């Protein structure tokens, strides 16, 4: 007796995953231009200035959240996203993410009074810092996230939904 090894053709219906509201904000206001501007502080400032203020706030805070939760403040500042720090702190304060903002301010303070917005300059300064320079403030940020009632991501997504509906 011979068994047939015929495989039938069939389809798998994968659900369409809707991008989160913060991604919809990014797509609507800036997209690639926003991301590409991160390595050029003057261009980034211009791009932010063209956005509704709340949109720039949410996008900058979201970039910080993603990098810090994925790695650390060291990763965030090493990447081009580090240029968003001041706007992200301001956004966190506006959105009542006060402990998150405190941790981000402490991370910014590691650089001293003259924060290098230019990525290459920032990376050079980071090379002068001890490897553990951002460990405590990264832990502080994680504690803020754990202690927050809904978490920073949920807060940012709610704000993004509000901004999308306001600017429809």
């Amino acid at each position: 007796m011979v068994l047939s090894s015929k495989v039938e053709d069939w389809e798998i219906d994968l659900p369409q995953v809707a991008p989160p509201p913060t991604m919809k904000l990014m797509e609507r206001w800036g997209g690639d231009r926003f991301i590409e501007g991160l390595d050029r502080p003057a261009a980034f400032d211009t791009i932010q200035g063209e956005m509704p203020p709340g949109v720039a706030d949410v996008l900058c805070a979201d970039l910080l959240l993603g990098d810090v939760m994925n790695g650390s403040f060291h990763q965030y500042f090493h990447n081009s996203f580090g240029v968003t720090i001041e706007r992200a702190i301001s956004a966190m304060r506006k959105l009542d993410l006060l402990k998150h903002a405190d941790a981000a301010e402490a991370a910014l303070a590691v650089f001293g009074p003259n924060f290098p917005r230019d990525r290459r300059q920032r990376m050079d300064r980071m090379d002068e810092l001890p490897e553990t320079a951002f460990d405590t403030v990264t832990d502080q940020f994680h504690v803020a996230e754990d202690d927050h009632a809904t978490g920073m991501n949920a807060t940012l997504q709610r704000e993004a939904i509000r901004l999308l509906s306001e600017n429809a």
Side-chain angles (χ1 to χ4, degrees), residues 20 22 62 65 97 100 145 148 150-159:
T22 52
D62 190 55
L65 174 65
L97 296 160
H100 293 81
E145 184 64 9
H148 194 271
T150 62
M152 187 169 165
N153 183 57
T155 300
L156 293 174
Q157 299 309 321
R158 269 194 315 276
E159 183 65 7

Side-chain angles (χ1 to χ4, degrees), residues 12-143:
I12 300 174
D13 289 325
L14 297 175
Q16 293 295 321
V17 177
T22 52
M23 183 61 70
K24 291 178 184 178
L25 281 182
M26 176 76 73
E27 291 169 355
R28 188 178 295 178
W29 285 284
D32 291 340
R33 186 169 172 252
F34 180 82
I35 296 297
E36 290 165 3
L38 294 170
D39 282 328
R40 298 181 331 273
F44 182 67
D45 292 344
T46 299
I47 294 163
Q48 282 186 95
E50 295 168 354
M51 296 178 172
V55 171
D57 289 345
V58 168
L59 293 180
C60 289
D62 190 55
L63 293 176
L64 180 144
L65 174 65
D67 256 13
V68 175
M69 294 306 288
N70 182 49
S72 65
F73 274 105
H74 183 275
Q75 175 179 314
Y76 170 72
F77 286 122
H78 190 271
N79 290 339
S80 56
F81 295 171
V83 73
T84 68
I85 186 67
E86 292 157 328
R87 188 65 178 256
I89 291 169
S90 171
M92 288 183 276
R93 294 244 174 259
K94 289 176 191 172
L95 296 170
D96 201 30
L97 296 160
L98 304 179
K99 290 182 180 179
H100 293 81
D102 289 344
E105 283 180 341
L108 178 60
V110 170
F111 287 97
N114 298 313
F115 174 70
R117 294 184 74 225
D118 177 82
R119 182 179 183 203
R120 292 196 193 287
Q121 292 173 5
R122 192 168 56 249
M123 290 168 60
D124 289 344
R125 288 273 300 279
M126 290 176 71
D127 287 342
E128 299 168 4
L129 297 171
E131 267 187 51
T132 58
F134 297 101
D135 289 358
T136 300
V137 293
T138 297
D139 291 345
Q140 182 182 344
F141 190 88
H142 285 274
V143 167

Side-chain angles (χ1 to χ4, degrees), residues 1-8:
M1 180 167 116
V2 176
L3 295 175
S4 172
S5 63
K6 181 182 175 201
V7 176
E8 292 184 9

